[in-house]
Amino acid sequence: MVAALTSESVRLADLQFEPFIGEEEIRGRVTSMAAAINTWDLGPDPLMISVLNGSFIFAADLMRALPFTCEIAFIQLQSYDGTRSKGEIVMEGARLGVPVKGRDILIVEDIVDSGLTMYYLIRELQKRRPSSIRVVTLLHKPEMQEFPITLDLVGFTIPPDFVVGYGLDYRGLGRNLRGLYRKTGEF
Ligand code: IMP
């Protein structure tokens, strides 16, 4: 089933979604997040780590909004199956391919739900002795969080709804929606 990207509400496979956070609002928030990051005391060689798949659009926009040069690397982690957390992390292509030791790391995540993905990644990265690790997430569902992690910058705090768009998917669909949409019903 192909969703119409222009309609008010969107159907992806067996689920219905309604508009939640619009493109303009996201753009404004990404700009202000980049400005906030620019005030941080980062060393000369910061490394952005984008958590695939969901953060690829956010990471691209955030990186282009940053006024300083920054390297980026990608890591593929998965804890979700459909609309639910699996409660375990699957690491695909987990080789970063760049040095981490002594560098200021900015983890760029699309959404923090239970916090398991971030908890796991932070622990793995700490083994490689970075100078610092900061977590930047576009979305946070605080009511769902179970794992003790510190989020340094949050774009939007949202209720525990399932959302898609701007890189986030349902069964691989909806990533190219320009705004964020939330689940309203099932078919
Ligand atoms: P956590 O490990 O439970 O914090 O889940 C984080 C990951 O689950 C994110 O990187 C997303 O891939 C996925 N996820 C969590 N909530 C949603 C959602 O509402 N829509 C789409 N993906 C989600």
Side-chain angles (χ1 to χ4, degrees):
M1 174 67 63
V2 178
L5 300 185
T6 49
S7 66
E8 278 291 292
S9 65
V10 169
R11 179 175 176 171
L12 300 172
D14 58 341
L15 296 186
Q16 185 81 23
F17 296 84
E18 66 177 10
F20 180 39
I21 302 174
E23 192 182 347
E24 288 300 315
E25 196 175 346
I26 296 171
R27 189 175 305 133
R29 186 65 187 119
V30 171
T31 303
S32 68
M33 291 174 86
I37 293 169
N38 195 38
T39 67
W40 293 350
D41 189 20
L42 301 174
D45 194 20
L47 174 65
M48 198 184 251
I49 297 180
S50 161
V51 184
L52 296 174
N53 293 333
S55 82
F56 77 110
I57 290 178
F58 173 48
D61 285 349
L62 185 67
M63 189 177 196
R64 283 179 296 182
L66 286 176
F68 56 84
T69 305
C70 185
E71 195 177 359
I72 190 165
F74 299 89
I75 194 156
Q76 189 160 29
L77 300 174
Q78 225 193 21
S79 73
Y80 246 61
D81 185 10
T83 63
R84 283 212 170 72
S85 177
K86 286 194 291 224
E88 62 178 285
I89 298 291
V90 181
M91 257 176 127
E92 302 275 354
R95 231 181 66 78
L96 264 181
V98 290
V100 164
K101 193 172 176 194
R103 301 177 77 175
D104 290 311
I105 307 298
L106 301 175
I107 299 178
V108 180
E109 175 64 307
D110 53 350
I111 185 163
V112 173
D113 183 284
S114 70
L116 172 63
T117 307
M118 277 308 96
Y119 183 74
Y120 180 88
L121 181 58
I122 290 166
R123 253 190 0 200
E124 288 301 309
L125 287 172
Q126 271 164 349
K127 294 179 192 164
R128 304 186 195 186
R129 305 244 166 263
S131 170
S132 69
I133 300 177
R134 290 178 175 85
V135 179
V136 177
T137 184
L138 179 69
L139 302 169
H140 181 211
K141 298 179 189 171
E143 289 166 57
M144 300 297 287
Q145 196 180 323
E146 294 169 36
F147 291 82
I149 47 165
T150 302
L151 302 177
D152 296 277
L153 188 56
V154 175
F156 301 98
T157 299
I158 64 168
D161 299 326
F162 186 75
V163 296
V164 293
Y166 197 68
L168 289 94
D169 76 306
Y170 171 59
R171 295 197 193 160
L173 302 174
R175 295 195 197 274
N176 57 330
L177 292 163
R178 300 176 77 93
L180 285 156
Y181 290 71
R182 74 172 147 205
K183 182 185 153 205
T184 49
E186 296 176 27
F187 292 96

